[in-house]
Amino acid sequence: MAHRALTVGARRGVLEHWVRLPVIARIAVVYLLGRAVTTGFLLLAAERSTVGSRFGADATIGSFVLGWDAQWYWLVAWEGYPHVLPLTETGQVTENAWAFMPVYAYAAQIVGLPFGAWGAGALLISLIAGFFACVALHRLLRHRIGASATMWAVVFFAWGPLAALFQVGYAESLFVLLLLIALDLVARRRYAWLYLVIPVMAFTRPGILAFALYLGLHGILRWIRRRHDPLSTREVVHIIALGALATATGFAWQLIAWFVTGDPGAYMATELSWRRNWGVDDAAFVPFDGWVQAAQFWFTQWGMPGWWGLIALGILVLAAAAMLLFSPHVRRLGADLRLWSASYLLYLLAVFFPQSSTFRLLLPLTPLAGALAVPRSRGYRIVVLALCVLGQWIWVDQVYAQGSAYWQVP
């Protein structure tokens, strides 16, 4: 009994010490422990990598930092963008650097200069942006779902299935940081700061058009609620101007690619070239067609009728809508974060062809981690954390240790 009392007392002491820590220190502990777990997974993946893997039998963590799409960002930093689009033997535009935005690529080049390596800069930016994204997520959620649930949301994010993106040369962690800051600025009505954030977001990775849609929906919601949430003329001007800015910057990269290459369809042809790996022809881009094509493609690949895929797609869309509209845990996040989630899902539905990077492209839905954390059961939260860690290992193992085929691109 005495031993048990001592154990309980020790636990209370640790808990009290933990609670007394500043919030940013608690986030730092969670994040650093998460990075230690990810590092262990990457080391294990390097050991498991064989000659059949894209990274070979002598793979290292450095190989993974520079792997897959990180090579394209590195190419942008060192060679810039092609003035002449590369073509296949049949005259079709093939994969090239125009599919990758410049902010992360050049920022990594600058940060990496003291170390003499682009990869070092990319790793530092991803690591640091990931930590501050955790801080921004905490700030965004803390007044919505409570202190305990918010910290657990940070844990799920920092230890989640895609947490390896904080340690490789991908732009996702930087984009999510900017996104969470932007969502928080909108929530706090600090619209003026968004004139700085939106252009940087727009040239970090695709997705700013979803934010433009979100701003439009946010403006409509504020207009509907203006009697209870006063809407000034100044705020109306800001919301309209910011929506226009997000829309303009969302299409700006296509115009820049046109100006540099002389081809008005340079960017779109580049993006569509990646679909060729999945057996999709080079038909012109049609909004929402990618999911329709993919639904039939994947179900056929799995030995089932293609029309089953269309039914599954319809069920998936209805399930996502029902979750955003009716889930009590999601509703706790507030109307604004549900509007962002709906905007981004609609954007993906309109422009994306679902394939191996689908999970990575869901990272901007990070605020929904708050909904996962709402239930107070300790057992439930531990199970969710265990599933996060398991998912992270499966992702690392498949795309790095075993990664060799086009369907394993992260």
Side-chain angles (χ1 to χ4, degrees):
M1 289 292 292
H3 175 72
R4 184 176 178 183
L6 285 172
T7 303
V8 172
R11 288 177 181 171
R12 279 184 188 162
V14 170
L15 181 60
E16 288 174 2
H17 182 69
W18 173 256
V19 171
R20 284 198 298 267
L21 282 175
V23 169
I24 196 165
R26 280 182 269 162
I27 294 173
V29 170
V30 166
Y31 187 72
L32 290 174
L33 289 175
R35 301 292 58 75
V37 170
T38 300
T39 299
F41 285 163
L42 292 173
L43 286 170
L44 183 56
E47 287 293 322
R48 286 170 52 81
S49 183
T50 66
V51 291
S53 165
R54 177 185 180 93
F55 300 95
D58 56 349
T60 65
I61 288 183
S63 308
F64 300 153
V65 171
L66 296 173
W68 297 112
D69 285 0
Q71 287 285 307
W72 285 107
Y73 287 112
W74 174 84
L75 185 68
V76 167
W78 283 97
E79 295 186 4
Y81 295 92
H83 287 70
V84 177
L85 293 173
L87 303 176
T88 64
E89 293 180 356
T90 58
Q92 298 167 306
V93 174
T94 190
E95 296 95 334
N96 65 83
W98 282 108
F100 300 87
M101 303 298 183
V103 167
Y104 180 81
Y106 290 120
Q109 177 78 334
I110 293 168
V111 174
L113 284 176
F115 307 95
W118 181 89
L123 176 60
L124 281 173
I125 289 176
S126 292
L127 275 172
I128 295 169
F131 169 69
F132 283 107
C134 289
V135 175
L137 179 64
H138 190 280
R139 177 180 171 85
L140 183 65
L141 295 178
R142 63 186 177 184
H143 296 304
R144 300 167 188 262
I145 59 175
S148 175
T150 296
M151 186 55 69
W152 274 100
V154 171
V155 172
F156 296 156
F157 176 51
W159 293 56
L162 297 172
L165 289 171
F166 301 139
Q167 295 177 228
V168 295
Y170 273 64
E172 264 67 20
S173 58
L174 180 58
F175 182 83
V176 169
L177 168 61
L178 294 167
L179 170 65
L180 293 172
I181 291 172
L183 291 172
D184 190 59
L185 289 171
V186 172
R188 296 173 187 277
R189 314 295 194 250
R190 304 290 295 277
Y191 296 115
W193 286 101
L194 287 168
Y195 292 102
L196 299 177
V197 178
I198 284 175
V200 182
M201 285 175 62
F203 294 105
T204 298
R205 70 176 293 281
I208 197 64
L209 289 176
F211 197 77
L213 174 59
Y214 161 69
L215 285 171
L217 296 175
H218 167 76
I220 293 171
L221 181 65
R222 289 215 57 195
W223 178 261
I224 293 172
R225 294 180 171 179
R226 65 189 183 280
R227 291 185 180 179
H228 307 289
D229 181 10
L231 179 64
S232 67
T233 303
R234 180 171 173 271
E235 288 178 322
V236 171
V237 171
H238 273 313
I239 293 170
I240 293 173
L242 289 167
L245 176 63
T247 302
T249 52
F251 287 105
W253 193 241
Q254 297 184 42
L255 298 177
I256 293 170
W258 178 6
F259 176 79
V260 173
T261 64
D263 183 345
Y267 175 73
M268 195 60 68
T270 297
E271 287 288 0
L272 292 176
S273 68
W274 260 270
R275 295 189 184 184
R276 226 176 284 126
N277 292 326
W278 306 90
V280 179
D281 59 28
D282 271 348
F285 171 74
V286 177
F288 302 102
D289 190 47
W291 282 82
V292 173
Q293 289 181 323
Q296 298 173 87
F297 170 82
W298 282 114
F299 272 72
T300 302
Q301 290 289 106
W302 296 331
M304 292 177 279
W307 61 269
W308 284 16
L310 298 178
I311 294 175
L313 175 61
I315 293 172
L316 181 64
V317 171
L318 290 175
M323 176 192 69
L324 293 176
L325 287 170
F326 305 117
S327 167
H329 298 157
V330 176
R331 291 175 69 88
R332 283 280 302 277
L333 300 179
D336 55 341
L337 296 186
R338 289 191 292 145
L339 285 178
W340 159 250
S341 300
S343 298
Y344 187 71
L345 287 172
L346 185 61
Y347 165 80
L348 286 185
L349 192 64
V351 306
F352 186 54
F353 179 89
Q355 29 91 357
S356 59
S357 2
T358 300
F359 297 108
R360 172 173 60 86
L361 293 185
L362 294 177
L363 199 61
L365 295 173
T366 289
L368 291 179
L372 275 180
V374 166
R376 295 186 177 186
S377 166
R378 181 183 300 176
Y380 161 82
R381 288 170 170 173
I382 290 173
V383 169
V384 172
L385 178 58
L387 291 175
C388 285
V389 175
L390 176 62
Q392 184 181 163
W393 165 244
I394 292 172
W395 194 81
V396 169
D397 181 61
Q398 285 299 305
V399 305
Y400 290 113
Q402 312 297 329
S404 60
Y406 64 87
W407 53 268
Q408 291 172 302
V409 180

